[in-house]
Amino acid sequence: MRKLMILLVCLFLLTASSALAQQGAAPLPPYDHTFFGELIAAHDSDTLKWQIEQFAYEEAECYLTKVWMADPGKQIGKAASDWQQNVQDTAQLALQEPDASLIINASGYVTRVYSWIPDNYPGVSSDYFFTPLGSVTVTDGVVYRCLEGVPYYGLTLNEDGLRLHVGDDPQTVLAENPSQTWSFYVECPVIADHQSILDPEWRFTHSRAMRTIVAKMDANNYLLLTVTRTKNGLSMQQCVDFLLSEFSPEWAYNLDGGPSSALMFRDDMSRLNPVWSNGQENVDIMTFSELPME
């Protein structure tokens, strides 16, 4: 009798585990943050919650956006300018994603003004104008760049949401079938495994500027740190110190910033509202939307 009961319990647990695997694990709840600024705007639904808060840090005016998504892999998106042809301002790019509720600037890119190309990139400089920095570029599942032997430093969007890559082999990155990528300088991964990996020799580590940083708290919760030009912005060291002391995120990545910085949201009337935008064009944007209807 005892053996029969054990067998029945095992069968029940196996069936329950199988059902859970088929349905997918339940999303983690919105993160219980202890840091709060002045509320600027918010959105609250069953699948997407975000709130934009304004605060001052080291004499700089900043915005912190707390984002919760039921399924980040399906709710984070990208809109990109024409490959190797031009760049567009954030509002123009946002037209490609009319359902996006929240929008930020994303990849760093090459122009004739900022024309520096990493030494290990093959080809000539003209090959990289108006395209993201980084050895891998994927947009909507289409691979535009894969430089063999050039490690990838950047973000990918996979089924489970954003993943951070710190010097990974391009073929390994593509083997995970990402739908999107965002990239900038090789020094842009600044926090990994809840610890600073900031390069002390990077010229931006101690230079104050406008910035956009995305950080992951857990599977369903992300942070967006937007630094404006007040008092010349913040250095990367100041940003990392703030994020680690207040939040200790799993990882953090520095997206494009300076004149390309942007933070926008759509209101209940689908109107695009700029919270912070410096007016310069971007090669691509990152968006956050409601969970699409099945």
Side-chain angles (χ1 to χ4, degrees):
M1 184 67 179
R2 185 179 179 183
K3 291 183 178 179
L4 179 60
M5 289 296 296
I6 293 175
L7 179 60
L8 290 174
V9 170
C10 291
L11 287 173
F12 172 79
L13 291 175
L14 181 61
T15 303
S17 298
S18 177
L20 184 61
Q22 291 177 1
Q23 295 172 2
L28 297 173
Y31 200 85
D32 186 16
H33 296 284
T34 58
F35 180 92
F36 291 93
E38 178 187 354
L39 185 62
I40 300 300
H43 175 85
D44 191 339
S45 74
D46 291 340
T47 66
L48 176 66
K49 305 178 192 295
W50 57 257
Q51 58 186 55
I52 302 171
E53 300 168 7
Q54 188 177 29
F55 68 101
Y57 184 76
E58 299 289 344
E59 298 184 304
E61 182 180 273
C62 307
Y63 294 95
L64 183 74
T65 307
K66 302 165 181 172
V67 187
W68 173 88
M69 292 163 283
D71 190 343
K74 296 179 180 178
Q75 294 179 251
I76 297 174
K78 174 182 176 181
S81 300
D82 293 335
W83 183 257
Q84 289 186 328
Q85 294 184 30
N86 58 53
V87 290
Q88 298 172 293
D89 65 42
T90 305
Q92 287 178 307
L93 288 171
L95 295 176
Q96 299 181 35
E97 296 288 331
D99 295 328
S101 177
L102 188 67
I103 297 156
I104 60 173
N105 57 287
S107 298
Y109 61 98
V110 180
T111 68
R112 298 184 190 280
V113 177
Y114 302 100
S115 55
W116 180 78
I117 306 292
D119 292 337
N120 59 350
Y121 280 22
V124 296
S125 293
S126 60
D127 292 336
Y128 298 96
F129 289 144
F130 308 130
T131 69
L133 287 169
S135 58
V136 176
T137 302
V138 179
T139 299
D140 297 332
V142 178
V143 179
Y144 286 87
R145 177 185 293 147
C146 179
L147 304 181
E148 284 191 37
V150 182
Y152 179 64
Y153 295 80
L155 301 176
T156 59
L157 180 64
N158 299 74
E159 290 185 357
D160 59 350
L162 293 178
R163 295 182 188 175
L164 177 70
H165 296 270
V166 185
D168 292 340
D169 181 83
Q171 294 298 336
T172 301
V173 174
L174 291 180
E176 297 176 350
N177 296 315
S179 60
Q180 316 286 358
T181 60
W182 295 269
S183 55
F184 202 10
Y185 296 117
V186 298
E187 299 91 348
C188 283
V190 294
I191 295 174
D193 297 324
H194 308 280
Q195 296 181 346
S196 173
I197 56 171
L198 187 60
D199 183 352
E201 302 300 321
W202 189 24
R203 61 192 178 104
F204 292 118
T205 295
H206 304 290
S207 300
R208 297 173 71 126
M210 297 172 283
R211 309 192 180 283
T212 300
I213 297 175
V214 56
K216 180 181 178 181
M217 297 300 294
D218 60 35
N220 298 89
N221 291 275
Y222 291 81
L223 293 174
L224 310 172
L225 175 61
T226 304
V227 180
T228 73
R229 66 157 59 98
T230 310
K231 291 291 184 181
N232 297 318
L234 294 176
S235 69
M236 284 307 309
Q237 187 66 66
Q238 289 172 309
C239 292
V240 168
D241 290 345
F242 168 73
L243 289 170
L244 287 177
S245 63
E246 295 290 346
F247 305 102
S248 186
E250 179 181 325
W251 55 254
Y253 185 82
N254 179 64
L255 295 167
D256 198 4
S260 302
S261 299
L263 172 62
M264 300 181 175
F265 71 92
R266 281 196 173 89
D267 58 25
D268 294 338
M269 303 296 291
S270 295
R271 294 172 297 201
L272 193 62
N273 296 270
V275 176
W276 169 252
S277 178
N278 211 32
Q280 184 165 308
E281 296 151 325
N282 287 294
V283 68
D284 59 36
I285 58 175
M286 183 181 294
T287 65
F288 303 83
S289 307
E290 296 282 358
L291 185 65
M293 297 290 290
E294 293 293 344

